[in-house]
Amino acid sequence: MKIGTRRVLTFSLASLCCGMAIADTEQQPITELQQQETSDNVSLDSLHVYGEPDETKSATKLNLTVFETPQIVSVISNDQIQDFALRDVNTLLKYAPGVTVEQVETGRTYYTARGFDIVNFQYDGIGLPFSFGLTQGHDDTAMYEKVEVIKGASGLITGLANPSATINFVRKRPTDEFQASAKASYGSWNTRRVDADISGPINDRVRGRLVVAKEKGDSYLDRYTTDRDVFYGIVSADLTDKTELTFAHSVNDTYSKGNSSGALPLFYSDGSLTNYDVSTNTAPDWAYQDIKQTRSFIELEQELGQNWSVKGIYTQNKQEKQWDSFYLSGSPDAFTEEGLTAHASHYDAQDKEKIFDLYLSGQFELAGREHDLVVGINKADIKLTGRSIYSSEWNYAPVGSNWAAGYTPRPAFDVYDAATQSTNIDQDQDSAYFSTRLRATDRLSFLLGARTVKIEQDGFSYGAPQKVSDSETVPYAGVTYEIIDGTMLYGSYSEVFKAQTWVGADLSPLGSVKGESKEIGIKQEFNDGRAVLTIARFESRQENFGEWIDRDTASGLNIYRGVDMESKGYEIELSGEVIERLNLSMGYTHLDIEDENGDKTRTFIPTNQFKVAASYHVPQVVGLNVGGGVRWQNEIYVGDVEVQGSYTLVDMFAQYQLNKNVSLALNLYNVGNEKYLESPQWGQAIYGASRSALGSVTWTY
């Protein structure tokens, strides 16, 4: 039994065979026809895939292709990850159409789509929203086969999210045939990295896979260095011909030194914009961040007869966080650089998640047609603990003009009150869900579903109570109509809601935020289904969304107010092998975001952005693959002030298959050496990375 066999793994094996075939040019001449075909008559270049033409369960848990899903689904394939050397999640998502990566400091990042924060990250379709709406540290991509971004509300698959997007990380699985690879890379700022990936059968019924990676290096930022270790192991066993059991465990451990808390001031005291060197860092060298993320899961899948199966997944996630920080605030004098104040603290925390998901899926016959059905339950237990220890020496004390030199000595952290400087939150979530695809005709299908979620939360955070009790049933409805072969019209509607940990001016929880998303569009297949073009119009709405207004200096709590917001716009995406040998992942997004008064809001998010990644196998040179990427966005603001004009970033790469086992690659990033700011979401910002290069050599078997 081979439940859940993935076509993308078949691609990997075929690519390995093709690489060996190419290398045999040393022994015998290769005709033009032989260059194009493997022994099974599959085009060599068709095995190099951007996007994903095959099924995805991320939007509904139904076996729908991207073409059949009534929402935009963007996929960053393993080929694109390798071509552009997208080694961490932040870098990868910068290439996802319609997604903005709001890196507010070196180790803390928010993500947005369609104007709202992306809070729901899943792993193989299972996960929970981020408790505080952000990621910390740097999640490595070595263990992922592909990453799916499902735009719009995702109430059906989680019930708890924003009408922005859900990001699903599809982890690598064991392969039926033995394969192995190793890669060594060296790049700008003394960045070194090694990767290894070995997979295959252990015996007739057991398969395994092991992925390890190590990366260490400096940065374009002064004093900032990172050291990351990655481990991922997975074993799948066929207990019977109809029963598969899978165990997996992963560790992503990142230590960074010179880690900034907050970012550079954007304004001088006279109101003019600052303009620092790209390398300027507010952090001294003693500031650090240590984030260790472990994830383990056990999965049991049982076939129940023709076209039916039941799957149970138990997942345990733990994130351990610790750092010393030095936070600067204020607006300095334009000539002396004096006028900033500093706040220092030590922070440690632990987030734990236990998730159980059980669902039945299959097909049933009604009115002479086969239809799809998924029914399931999900239970989750979340515990969040943390504490901050402050410094009486640097508690918003003024700093001198040489703050950028990083000379500030490490203070003693000597101020701590457990009642007002710690977090202890316990949350239970119970949900039940169903989804179905009803085929009215050969071309017309209706997708229906609902999810009921109940939340019970208790505890406190920095002196503020965190007691929440809420429940909601969120519906999902979609329709697809293939008017002619390869042309699909679709529409979808979904709702979501999410409990918020934010507090208002009275230090009480804001309560749940509710939202909805509507989308209509058309999808067109090209090149025999190898590429899909999507044009979509969307409207999304949030009620009681937590908008930051101030910081309570006594408790250190951020204070929010609940606002209603609406976003609308359109997206155009094209991905896949558009013509022979040319793969594209391309998208344009236009967005308008307004508050309840009709005024523009969240102006730190670009309202127009364009992204394209391309790969081309050069027919005149067997084994040569070249490509590049372009990312453009329009201006962004803090309030009504433009702090960053529109800019374009260009990346390039070239790969060459040296022989049947060895390939060489060179990647160039920000070729034009564009100077630009990362996210100004909190009224501060760091600069993005300057021009850099990365060379690598890969061995495969």
Side-chain angles (χ1 to χ4, degrees):
M1 171 187 165
K2 300 295 182 286
I3 293 177
T5 300
R6 300 181 185 276
R7 183 178 170 187
V8 338
L9 298 181
T10 305
F11 287 164
S12 300
L13 292 173
S15 298
L16 178 63
C17 295
C18 288
M20 297 174 67
I22 291 171
D24 285 344
T25 56
E26 298 175 0
Q27 283 77 33
Q28 61 186 20
I30 293 184
T31 67
E32 182 177 351
L33 179 62
Q34 288 172 322
Q35 291 177 10
Q36 298 295 322
E37 298 182 351
T38 63
S39 59
D40 58 357
N41 294 319
V42 177
S43 168
L44 166 65
D45 301 299
S46 293
L47 299 177
H48 194 91
V49 177
Y50 280 18
E52 178 57 78
D54 296 314
E55 69 184 38
T56 172
K57 296 184 179 181
S58 300
T60 59
K61 282 191 174 174
L62 299 167
N63 294 323
L64 304 177
T65 66
V66 169
F67 181 69
E68 296 170 324
T69 303
Q71 292 176 242
I72 285 188
V73 181
S74 306
V75 181
I76 307 296
S77 69
N78 186 59
D79 286 316
Q80 188 176 346
I81 293 172
Q82 299 303 320
D83 286 349
F84 287 88
L86 307 177
R87 295 164 294 169
D88 63 79
V89 167
N90 282 359
T91 306
L92 181 149
L93 289 178
K94 286 180 179 180
Y95 262 103
V99 173
T100 63
V101 176
E102 304 290 335
Q103 188 167 342
V104 295
E105 55 193 39
T106 52
R108 185 152 42 184
T109 311
Y110 300 81
Y111 309 96
T112 75
R114 299 185 174 181
F116 299 113
D117 293 343
I118 302 173
V119 297
N120 192 48
F121 275 32
Q122 297 192 331
Y123 301 87
D124 299 326
I126 305 296
L128 293 168
F130 293 155
S131 300
F132 297 102
L134 77 162
T135 59
Q136 294 160 328
H138 297 272
D139 196 5
D140 201 273
T141 60
M143 67 188 76
Y144 303 127
E145 190 67 46
K146 61 180 178 179
V147 178
E148 303 169 340
V149 182
I150 304 91
K151 305 290 181 58
S154 51
L156 189 62
I157 51 175
T158 172
L160 299 164
N162 289 336
S164 52
T166 292
I167 298 175
N168 182 39
F169 296 91
V170 180
R171 287 174 281 209
K172 293 178 177 177
R173 296 283 174 145
T175 53
D176 296 332
E177 303 292 335
F178 177 79
Q179 65 180 50
S181 66
K183 177 186 288 188
S185 306
Y186 183 81
S188 300
W189 311 301
N190 197 30
T191 302
R192 297 93 69 197
R193 182 181 173 97
V194 292
D195 295 81
D197 183 348
I198 184 170
S199 178
I202 299 173
N203 58 37
D204 290 343
R205 287 190 172 270
V206 182
R207 301 165 300 284
R209 189 163 190 168
L210 177 66
V211 177
V212 293
K214 170 74 173 182
E215 182 173 319
K216 189 173 184 178
D218 300 324
S219 165
Y220 69 100
L221 292 173
D222 296 334
R223 301 177 296 281
Y224 182 62
T225 66
T226 58
D227 188 350
R228 185 161 68 242
D229 295 289
V230 180
F231 168 88
Y232 171 62
I234 182 170
V235 176
S236 294
D238 297 333
L239 303 183
T240 71
D241 291 342
K242 295 185 177 182
T243 309
E244 184 180 57
L245 181 66
T246 300
F247 298 90
H249 179 70
S250 67
V251 179
N252 190 109
D253 193 354
T254 303
Y255 178 87
S256 59
K257 186 179 179 182
N259 185 78
S260 68
S261 178
L264 297 170
L266 290 175
F267 300 98
Y268 286 118
S269 56
D270 62 5
S272 61
L273 290 173
T274 60
N275 185 18
Y276 296 106
D277 291 338
V278 171
S279 61
T280 307
N281 187 0
T282 61
D285 58 6
W286 53 262
Y288 78 93
Q289 184 185 67
D290 192 359
I291 306 289
K292 184 177 182 181
Q293 177 75 62
T294 59
R295 300 184 180 98
S296 305
F297 75 88
I298 179 172
E299 176 184 285
L300 181 65
E301 185 167 4
Q302 175 69 50
E303 286 188 357
L304 301 176
Q306 187 175 11
N307 299 326
W308 284 92
S309 66
V310 61
K311 180 183 284 189
I313 307 104
Y314 175 74
T315 301
Q316 282 196 169
N317 301 324
K318 181 169 70 172
Q319 187 179 72
E320 299 169 281
K321 301 173 281 191
Q322 187 177 83
W323 61 75
D324 286 350
S325 67
F326 190 70
Y327 174 78
L328 296 181
S329 62
S331 299
D333 182 86
F335 298 100
T336 67
E337 289 293 342
E338 294 180 343
L340 296 178
T341 61
H343 178 70
S345 66
H346 171 83
Y347 180 72
D348 55 67
Q350 190 175 88
D351 301 344
K352 293 182 178 180
E353 298 175 344
K354 297 179 180 179
I355 310 166
F356 176 70
D357 194 85
L358 177 68
Y359 68 93
L360 174 73
S361 62
Q363 294 182 326
F364 64 95
E365 187 172 326
L366 179 66
R369 295 186 178 276
E370 285 192 340
H371 313 277
D372 304 307
L373 177 67
V374 174
V375 180
I377 59 171
N378 182 284
K379 297 180 68 69
D381 179 25
I382 306 162
K383 288 183 171 57
L384 309 173
T385 58
R387 63 171 186 161
S388 294
I389 305 175
Y390 301 120
S391 166
S392 56
E393 181 181 355
W394 288 108
N395 187 18
Y396 295 102
V399 296
S401 61
N402 66 341
W403 51 267
Y407 294 144
T408 306
R410 184 182 185 277
F413 296 108
D414 52 4
V415 179
Y416 177 66
D417 179 1
T420 60
Q421 294 168 216
S422 63
T423 294
N424 193 330
I425 299 174
D426 193 350
Q427 184 182 103
D428 292 316
Q429 299 179 10
D430 296 322
S431 62
Y433 58 88
F434 87 94
S435 60
T436 183
R437 174 168 61 169
L438 304 175
R439 295 177 175 88
T441 70
D442 290 342
R443 295 185 178 276
L444 177 64
S445 294
F446 295 95
L447 293 93
L448 303 172
R451 188 178 187 111
T452 297
V453 184
K454 182 179 180 181
I455 299 175
E456 294 292 338
Q457 177 178 292
D458 204 358
F460 59 88
S461 181
Y462 289 75
Q466 291 291 318
K467 189 172 183 62
V468 175
S469 180
D470 208 344
S471 63
E472 189 82 14
T473 297
V474 293
Y476 179 95
V479 60
T480 61
Y481 180 56
E482 191 170 9
I483 53 176
I484 59 174
D485 291 347
T487 303
M488 183 80 76
L489 300 178
Y490 74 88
S492 64
Y493 171 85
S494 182
E495 296 179 3
V496 292
F497 92 113
K498 179 181 180 293
Q500 299 183 99
T501 55
W502 313 132
V503 298
D506 60 354
L507 300 188
S508 298
L510 284 180
S512 298
V513 57
K514 298 181 180 181
E516 64 178 10
S517 182
K518 304 172 186 177
E519 180 174 328
I520 59 172
I522 182 171
K523 298 189 180 188
Q524 177 66 54
E525 291 184 327
F526 293 96
N527 197 15
D528 295 327
R530 295 187 182 95
V532 176
L533 169 69
T534 305
I535 303 174
R537 173 75 180 179
F538 64 85
E539 291 185 9
S540 301
R541 181 174 55 86
Q542 285 270 58
E543 297 177 359
N544 196 39
F545 180 83
E547 181 181 66
W548 181 82
I549 56 174
D550 202 358
R551 181 182 176 91
D552 185 80
T553 55
S555 64
L557 278 170
N558 287 313
I559 305 301
Y560 293 77
R561 67 185 181 100
V563 298
D564 295 346
M565 294 196 309
E566 182 179 70
S567 74
K568 56 186 177 181
Y570 59 88
E571 295 182 277
I572 304 172
E573 290 196 17
L574 173 63
S575 65
E577 188 187 38
V578 293
I579 60 174
E580 187 178 4
R581 298 177 177 269
L582 176 63
N583 271 270
L584 286 179
S585 172
M586 182 168 60
Y588 173 78
T589 302
H590 172 76
L591 173 69
D592 290 311
I593 319 169
E594 296 180 349
D595 61 19
E596 63 259 41
N597 299 317
D599 298 324
K600 292 186 181 299
T601 186
R602 294 174 70 81
T603 55
F604 59 87
I605 299 173
T607 56
N608 294 281
Q609 57 173 294
F610 172 77
K611 300 179 182 181
V612 60
S615 167
Y616 182 66
H617 286 271
V618 180
Q620 293 82 5
V621 184
V622 176
L624 178 62
N625 182 31
V626 298
V630 175
R631 289 171 285 149
W632 171 87
Q633 68 172 54
N634 68 334
E635 68 279 359
I636 51 178
Y637 300 80
V638 171
D640 296 328
V641 180
E642 179 184 314
V643 296
Q644 173 63 61
S646 62
Y647 64 88
T648 302
L649 302 178
V650 178
D651 302 331
M652 300 174 66
F653 75 86
Q655 300 168 346
Y656 182 67
Q657 190 74 32
L658 192 63
N659 58 43
K660 69 178 183 179
N661 298 116
V662 179
S663 64
L664 305 176
L666 176 65
N667 289 80
L668 301 176
Y669 304 100
N670 192 4
V671 175
N673 203 28
E674 186 81 13
K675 183 178 182 180
Y676 66 99
L677 290 170
E678 297 281 6
S679 175
Q681 181 172 357
W682 298 110
Q684 302 174 323
I686 58 175
Y687 289 102
S690 52
R691 183 191 296 120
S692 63
L694 179 73
S696 61
V697 55
T698 303
W699 173 87
T700 58
Y701 176 81

